[in-house]
Amino acid sequence: MTSYAKEAPFAWCRSEYDTLQSVLVCPPHYMEIKEVINDVQKRYQKENIDIEKATQQHKQFVKALQENGVAVELLQPSEQFPEQVFTRDIGFTVDDTVFIGEMASSIRQGEEAELEKWLKSQQIRFESLGCNRVEGGDVIIDHDTLYVGISSRTSKTAIQELQEKLPRFNVVPISFDEKYLHLDCVFNILSPTEALIFPEALDADTIKMLAKRYTLLKVNAEEQFTLGTNVLSIGNRRVFSQPQNKKVNHLLKKHNFNVIEVDFSEIIKSGGAFRCCTMPLVRK
């Protein structure tokens, strides 16, 4: 276990919807489906990724973030990591600390060290988790509560470790159908009172529990497949979403969200969208 801190911590995050001020992304220069890990990749394995198109879409996303006042930090991509574009999985920020995950898939193991080097270079407080498997796509924060998905990517041991390290938080384990890979592919908090959900992936008790806290906006199976749940809130009811997911966008607009549409059709072929591709550093 390692940690590093500067005198005045740079990182800060207590929700999925406070104003996003600074975020870490990684350009998809070496993006490729090498090892099928979800149903989306299975469909696109033969077609694979058009890197030039994916890179252009990612640039448009970065530009749109900057136009909306978000400072974008770039993690240098490495040729040995074809899924490094999904920075959310490598780490996640809680309070003033970036927690570095432990990647479950062999194709992604080693990305943790790249993130650690970057955090050290920026003098950002971090801590490496010593548990067996934890990825940021399974960790969703809402102030005093940390929802953590139990999946093939995040173990029960990880959840126990997070509760020990974050005693002021209520760490809530959430079981879901593992074929959807990460919790943020089936559940995503948009505001203090609203969340997107793909109910088919969760059991009735879990849905009932979440419904007590949030108005649940349901995503259908077709738009879940195109990562309609994996939007990114940047604060003040502004949400990044794909233009292809028309029903999700209609639902968001109906609930008075300002939908920022960016085409991410090439990047989602690997099973992740806007939330997956962003690791918030500062939300206030």
Side-chain angles (χ1 to χ4, degrees):
M1 188 181 302
T2 58
S3 64
Y4 189 93
K6 63 178 184 177
E7 290 182 5
F10 179 78
W12 182 260
C13 185
R14 289 292 301 270
S15 83
E16 302 292 334
Y17 48 79
D18 289 327
T19 300
L20 184 61
Q21 296 184 1
S22 178
V23 69
L24 181 66
V25 305
C26 183
H29 295 337
Y30 305 108
M31 194 175 180
E32 183 182 358
I33 300 173
K34 283 188 174 182
E35 180 183 298
V36 174
I37 57 174
N38 56 52
D39 286 350
V40 180
Q41 286 188 346
K42 188 176 181 180
R43 176 179 291 189
Y44 294 111
Q45 183 181 18
K46 291 183 179 179
E47 181 180 336
N48 222 295
I49 308 295
D50 182 330
I51 291 179
E52 183 178 347
K53 185 176 180 180
T55 298
Q56 186 59 38
Q57 289 180 351
H58 195 268
K59 284 181 178 178
Q60 289 300 314
F61 175 48
V62 168
K63 180 181 178 184
L65 283 168
Q66 292 170 330
E67 288 173 347
N68 279 275
V70 182
V72 179
E73 303 286 348
L74 296 179
L75 182 66
Q76 189 64 32
S78 171
E79 193 170 358
Q80 66 185 113
F81 301 124
E83 296 185 30
Q84 200 177 9
V85 65
F86 301 126
T87 53
R88 175 80 64 152
D89 298 332
I90 319 170
F92 52 93
T93 306
V94 180
D95 274 0
D96 62 359
T97 302
V98 175
F99 288 91
I100 300 177
E102 182 177 315
M103 311 306 287
S105 173
S106 59
I107 199 76
R108 301 200 65 180
Q109 289 169 0
E111 292 182 35
E112 305 98 326
E114 296 300 309
L115 174 59
E116 181 175 324
K117 283 191 288 186
W118 186 85
L119 291 167
K120 281 184 176 180
S121 73
Q122 301 298 308
Q123 296 188 322
I124 295 173
R125 183 188 301 274
F126 73 84
E127 185 164 345
S128 295
L129 293 166
C131 58
N132 180 25
R133 304 193 323 271
V134 56
E135 297 186 5
D138 283 325
V139 181
I140 297 177
I141 186 173
D142 192 355
H143 290 274
D144 61 345
T145 304
L146 214 62
Y147 299 100
V148 185
I150 302 170
S151 71
S152 60
R153 298 310 185 92
T154 299
S155 67
K156 292 181 180 179
T157 307
I159 295 172
Q160 293 170 358
E161 183 179 2
L162 282 170
Q163 184 64 86
E164 290 170 3
K165 290 183 178 298
L166 298 165
R168 292 181 296 145
F169 289 82
N170 178 28
V171 178
V172 179
I174 295 187
S175 297
F176 65 99
D177 189 333
E178 291 188 358
K179 79 174 187 177
Y180 298 105
L181 193 61
H182 287 128
L183 181 60
D184 65 4
C185 293
V186 298
F187 173 66
N188 196 352
I189 299 171
L190 303 169
S191 77
T193 57
E194 295 144 308
L196 285 172
I197 194 167
F198 177 59
E200 293 176 35
L202 300 150
D203 62 43
D205 288 342
T206 298
I207 294 171
K208 185 176 180 181
M209 178 268 292
L210 294 172
K212 288 180 180 178
R213 183 157 178 172
Y214 306 101
T215 297
L216 298 177
L217 312 182
K218 296 180 182 179
V219 178
N220 64 28
E222 180 183 357
E223 294 196 354
Q224 187 285 323
F225 186 83
T226 50
L227 281 299
T229 315
N230 201 259
V231 300
L232 176 70
S233 172
I234 60 169
N236 298 318
R237 303 189 75 79
R238 295 169 296 163
V239 178
F240 276 89
S241 183
Q242 297 177 89
Q244 299 92 328
N245 293 326
K246 297 183 184 301
K247 292 182 179 178
V248 166
N249 294 345
H250 175 75
L251 194 58
L252 291 172
K253 290 172 184 176
K254 185 178 177 181
H255 284 80
N256 299 314
F257 286 96
N258 176 11
V259 179
I260 305 167
E261 295 187 355
V262 174
D263 184 6
F264 237 38
S265 56
E266 200 64 26
I267 289 170
I268 70 162
K269 290 179 180 179
S270 202
F274 301 110
R275 188 180 190 274
C276 291
C277 288
T278 49
M279 194 194 81
L281 294 166
V282 180
R283 279 190 186 271
K284 289 185 178 181

